[in-house]
Amino acid sequence: MRFPSREQPARGKMKEHLKKKSIDLLCEGDQWMSHLPECLWSVPLSNLSLPGSHDAMTYCLDKESRVSINESKLLQFMDKHFHSVVHPIILNWSITQVLTVLEQLDAGIRYFDFRIAHKPDDPSMNLYFVHMLYTTIDVEAVLWDILRWLKNHPWEVVILAFRNFDGLDEDHHRHLVSCVKKIFGSRLCPRNVVPTLRNMWSCDYQVIVSYEEISQVVQHSELWPAVPYWWGDKTTAQKLIKYLERRKQNGRPAGLFVAGINLTGELGYILAHLNGSLKQMTLKALPFLNLWIKKQHPGSKKDCINIIAGDFIEKSDFVRNVIGLNRKLLK
């Protein structure tokens, strides 16, 4: 097989390194894909178990941000007229991650849930991330960070899911797609490729971009249709697991898809738990959710899983548990 040319001088050494280390499914998180056994290199990524980050950018929410215009009129009204009281509560229920995007990559995350937004009344083309509130960091800066990480990890593959598109018009979409293509260039895997590690390594591909706006997808071969996300919208682990098991009974999608183990605090629930936070809710549920994860199987069968995305991905061995499921493909 041909290995990525961007590390040309070390190609022979890297090939031996891969063969030597390929028995370790739980190696350092920043390079776990390169350590998968060779028999998994030709398995489509949609049949592997991949750890994902739900609402990946909420670690940098702007404490001074106004509430997103996509949120309910009631929430916007409350934040506007009772800001000092309401805003800290909103922040507590908006944060789903504490690790930066680079720390998440180092931890082993390979799917990123990016909610994209254009701030209202902003005349510039700058785009940000959003989850009830807007982020301090703009999208382009994060994509450059990811590129630098990929250059240092030429055997790792990431799936970037661009979703929601809060406040974007046609010009914003064109700008975003242009940034994606400019930054990642030849590392973008076109959608006519069957994405296995072997295929992607042989062509120097490292990035799959899932894009929720279909009008852009049809114009650009580098964009993939939106990756389905199983979102339970539940407040307890028991209800969420019941939802996920019901989805599994109906059969998995043919390609890449996400099972979200993230809990949701809708407005009524938040108002009843003003002193709580999404983190408290998640940590309470993680032991039950991790038991569910360990029972899952990657693969192509009807009840198999693919990407599992969670909140606070550094907790309870979430990433290690998801990656470890791939050993079931060896039996």
Side-chain angles (χ1 to χ4, degrees), residues 149-162:
W149 189 91
L150 290 172
K151 286 181 176 180
N152 291 324
H153 300 81
W155 314 98
E156 301 302 301
V157 170
V158 297
I159 301 161
L160 309 180
F162 292 84

Side-chain angles (χ1 to χ4, degrees), residues 63-316:
K63 295 178 181 178
E64 305 302 320
S65 166
R66 69 171 71 180
V67 170
S68 162
I69 57 172
N70 273 9
E71 297 300 326
S72 70
K73 298 295 184 183
L74 174 60
L75 190 61
Q76 293 183 58
F77 175 85
M78 292 171 62
D79 188 50
K80 181 178 180 180
H81 295 283
F82 308 99
H83 182 82
S84 61
V85 175
V86 173
H87 206 74
I89 297 171
I90 294 173
L91 190 63
N92 282 340
W93 287 95
S94 300
I95 296 173
T96 64
Q97 307 294 343
V98 295
L99 298 186
T100 68
V101 70
L102 295 180
E103 290 170 335
Q104 292 179 47
L105 283 163
D106 283 340
I109 293 298
R110 294 297 178 265
Y111 165 90
F112 291 87
D113 171 23
F114 286 158
R115 316 291 179 94
I116 311 299
H118 181 261
K119 295 179 180 179
D121 304 321
D122 182 354
S124 76
M125 295 299 290
N126 292 340
L127 299 175
Y128 295 84
F129 304 93
V130 66
H131 185 221
M132 289 202 274
L133 306 172
Y134 302 101
T135 58
T136 57
I137 302 174
D138 66 80
V139 172
E140 192 167 352
V142 170
L143 299 185
W144 283 114
D145 281 344
I146 293 173
L147 174 64
R148 284 188 283 271
W149 189 91
L150 290 172
K151 286 181 176 180
N152 291 324
H153 300 81
W155 314 98
E156 301 302 301
V157 170
V158 297
I159 301 161
L160 309 180
F162 292 84
R163 308 175 62 204
N164 280 47
F165 301 126
D166 182 342
L168 272 68
D169 60 22
E170 188 70 21
D171 288 338
H172 296 126
H173 280 293
R174 280 196 291 266
H175 173 69
L176 176 56
V177 173
S178 174
C179 285
V180 168
K181 294 171 72 170
K182 173 184 70 177
I183 292 168
F184 295 117
S186 62
R187 284 179 167 82
L188 290 169
C189 178
R191 61 178 178 269
N192 64 346
V193 172
V194 177
T196 67
L197 288 175
R198 190 181 297 275
N199 288 346
M200 296 190 75
W201 289 342
S202 69
C203 298
D204 291 3
Y205 299 141
Q206 285 187 277
V207 183
I208 292 175
V209 171
S210 156
Y211 207 85
E212 206 169 58
E213 178 54 59
I214 192 63
S215 65
Q216 295 298 316
V217 174
V218 298
Q219 297 178 52
H220 303 277
S221 62
E222 301 91 342
L223 302 182
W224 293 62
V227 172
Y229 194 110
W230 290 357
W231 177 54
D233 192 17
K234 307 298 182 185
T235 57
T236 69
Q238 292 81 357
K239 291 178 180 178
L240 178 57
I241 289 170
K242 186 176 180 180
Y243 162 82
L244 292 172
E245 287 300 315
R246 188 167 62 249
R247 292 300 302 259
K248 285 171 58 182
Q249 289 172 11
N250 293 331
R252 57 153 294 167
L256 294 164
F257 80 102
V258 184
I261 63 161
N262 50 287
L263 300 177
T264 304
E266 46 84 31
L267 183 56
Y269 186 89
I270 294 173
L271 292 175
H273 299 80
L274 294 178
N275 294 323
S277 68
L278 195 56
K279 187 171 186 177
Q280 290 178 14
M281 176 194 279
T282 300
L283 296 186
K284 180 180 178 181
L286 274 180
F288 302 97
L289 294 171
N290 270 314
L291 287 175
W292 180 84
I293 290 173
K294 291 176 181 179
K295 295 176 183 177
Q296 304 314 301
H297 294 261
S300 59
K301 294 181 180 178
K302 174 182 176 180
D303 62 347
C304 287
I305 55 84
N306 175 209
I307 301 164
I308 301 179
D311 294 332
F312 305 102
I313 59 91
E314 76 283 1
K315 299 295 184 179
S316 300

